[in-house]
Amino acid sequence: MRDTPSSPFSAHDQVVMAQALHWAEQAIGLTDPNPRVGCVISDGRGRVLGTGHTQQAGGPHAEVMALRAAQAEGHDVRGATVHVTLEPCAHHGRTPPCADTLIAAGVGRVVAAVLDPNPLVAGQGLARLQAAGIPVAHGLMADAARELNIGFFSRMLRGRPWVRLKVAASLDGRTALPDGTSQWITSAEARTDGHAWRRRAGAVLTGIGTVREDDPRLDVRLVHTQRQPLRVVLDARLDTPPTARLLEPPGDVLLVCAAEALQTPRAAALVRPHVTVQPVRTDASGWIDLPAVLDLLGQRGINELHIEAGQHLNGSFVRAGLVDEYLVYLAPRLLGAGRDMAAFGPLAQIDDATPLVFTDLTRVGADVRLMARSATGFGAPA
């Protein structure tokens, strides 16, 4: 199946799918590694019978939650229309196929915003519904549904997470003074907003330099969350201090190192129940191979990777062409000399600059939040 509208959509379809997307947003910070999905069941008169969103991994999917809500209210869903932001699944995972559940419930029509990129589904859910005699349609508000799950699409289609690089800087692009002092360049509102983006991610990544200089926690504290992202440190030699705050609960920690570092006493000092030490390949200079890190995180089910690092690691990701999206907070102040957003070396000519497209400009407290993406890569604006 091609992910394009296969039938006309009514004004009612538009309204109800917007409601389903709202429900899907409630799943942010809860469902990883599963996608964020919302579902609304309505009757022929436009009355909503049941709503829901996907729960934590292993829990009920959006369609099941909406059916349960309808049942709790005593509603009969036979012949009803189901609007869901992602194609109902057709495979047995931790839960039974949602397509089969909808067939058993006797619904009359299913409208999906976008097809599931998971090769185990990929059109098979709607095909199963059609085979059961249930009319289906897809493509309504597909762009919004895909954006909500951009990381899931990235992992399914590329085998690696969507990489978002976050920077807080002065108006002249400095992230710290020459001595590394950076607290606080941006406002409290911007820091809270940054935690909301951490909550969205499956993992937050930094380098050993930031750990040793700033001793960050990298957890989600300033906004409510039901799940802490995995905290990842790129630390080839395992120089992370055993007393680092980042190693403390809540949440799990992944220390990525070179294989030879596992044989050092430092490795044993870092062992604890919620900390995993994982070797990956390195280059001739002993630097951790960044594509290998993304492959590892993809295998661990990370959909969105949120990077909060220093100028050198940022520059390495930029230079390797691995950043999908830039999340930049600019403060209304000038620092002059200081540390850059990303140090990746001089360019020979202007045409060598990485082409980006701004996707958002928002005032956050006293600061401005800019968002930009690669103009040509995965997820580039149409």
Side-chain angles (χ1 to χ4, degrees):
M1 287 188 178
R2 295 180 59 197
D3 193 22
T4 54
S6 53
S7 69
F9 299 107
S10 67
H12 174 69
D13 287 327
Q14 299 277 347
V15 170
V16 180
M17 187 60 80
Q19 294 175 356
L21 285 166
H22 172 74
W23 277 96
E25 290 172 355
Q26 309 311 304
I28 293 175
L30 173 65
T31 63
D32 283 42
N34 291 339
R36 304 143 183 166
V37 183
C39 180
V40 176
I41 302 174
S42 61
D43 63 15
R45 295 173 293 174
R47 181 178 56 146
V48 171
L49 305 179
T51 58
H53 62 74
T54 301
Q55 301 299 298
Q56 69 281 357
H61 289 189
E63 298 92 330
V64 173
M65 294 299 293
L67 288 170
R68 289 180 181 178
Q71 183 180 31
E73 294 295 326
H75 296 311
D76 185 354
V77 301
R78 287 175 296 179
T81 296
V82 176
H83 288 81
V84 62
T85 58
L86 188 70
E87 174 188 11
C89 62
H91 66 294
H92 283 272
R94 300 186 190 182
T95 60
C98 290
D100 290 353
T101 302
L102 293 174
I103 292 169
V107 301
R109 178 175 175 246
V110 175
V111 180
V114 67
L115 296 182
D116 192 332
N118 187 338
L120 297 175
V121 185
Q124 297 179 56
L126 293 188
R128 185 173 297 189
L129 291 164
Q130 280 184 310
I134 299 174
V136 301
H138 62 96
L140 176 61
M141 300 185 180
D143 289 344
R146 189 173 186 270
E147 277 299 308
L148 189 60
N149 286 297
I150 190 69
F152 181 73
F153 274 78
S154 174
R155 184 166 64 87
M156 289 296 109
L157 298 176
R158 300 191 296 178
R160 67 175 180 86
W162 175 260
V163 177
R164 181 178 297 113
L165 192 154
K166 180 258 183 180
V167 174
S170 61
L171 190 59
D172 52 347
R174 303 303 185 189
T175 60
L177 298 177
D179 65 1
T181 302
S182 61
Q183 295 182 334
W184 296 103
I185 292 176
T186 53
S187 65
E189 292 86 351
R191 295 194 293 276
T192 298
D193 192 68
H195 276 238
W197 287 95
R198 283 186 187 178
R199 180 186 67 172
R200 181 181 172 117
V204 179
L205 179 146
T206 195
I208 181 58
T210 297
V211 171
R212 298 184 71 173
E213 285 192 5
D214 299 339
D215 194 19
R217 291 167 60 179
L218 291 188
D219 57 353
V220 178
R221 304 182 304 279
L222 302 183
V223 297
H224 172 71
T225 187
Q226 300 181 69
R227 173 194 56 84
Q228 286 291 340
L230 175 70
R231 289 169 288 174
V232 182
V233 180
L234 302 192
D235 182 7
R237 291 169 32 86
L238 287 180
D239 288 327
T240 298
T243 57
R245 294 195 302 168
L246 180 142
L247 298 178
E248 300 171 358
D252 295 332
V253 179
L254 177 65
L255 301 178
V256 181
C257 66
E260 53 269 26
L262 292 176
Q263 310 306 318
T264 66
R266 296 187 297 275
L270 294 169
V271 172
R272 53 205 73 184
H274 62 287
V275 177
T276 299
V277 179
Q278 176 71 53
V280 298
R281 66 175 178 263
T282 56
D283 62 21
S285 301
W287 294 104
I288 288 174
D289 184 84
L290 298 183
V293 173
L294 297 186
D295 289 343
L296 170 64
L297 295 177
Q299 294 163 11
R300 290 178 65 99
I302 300 301
N303 293 330
E304 295 183 21
L305 176 63
H306 181 92
I307 298 176
E308 292 195 25
Q311 61 178 348
H312 296 296
L313 183 54
N314 285 350
S316 295
F317 272 97
V318 173
R319 185 167 53 248
L322 297 175
V323 179
D324 296 306
E325 186 169 46
Y326 296 83
L327 170 64
V328 181
Y329 297 91
L330 290 180
R333 59 178 70 188
L334 303 173
L335 295 189
R339 300 189 179 183
D340 295 327
M341 294 185 186
F344 54 91
L347 300 177
Q349 54 188 2
I350 292 293
D351 289 344
D352 293 336
T354 302
L356 303 176
V357 176
F358 287 121
T359 58
D360 181 67
L361 171 60
T362 302
R363 180 79 174 266
V364 180
D367 308 311
V368 171
R369 183 185 70 203
L370 292 172
M371 299 193 71
R373 291 184 180 180
S374 167
T376 57
F378 183 89

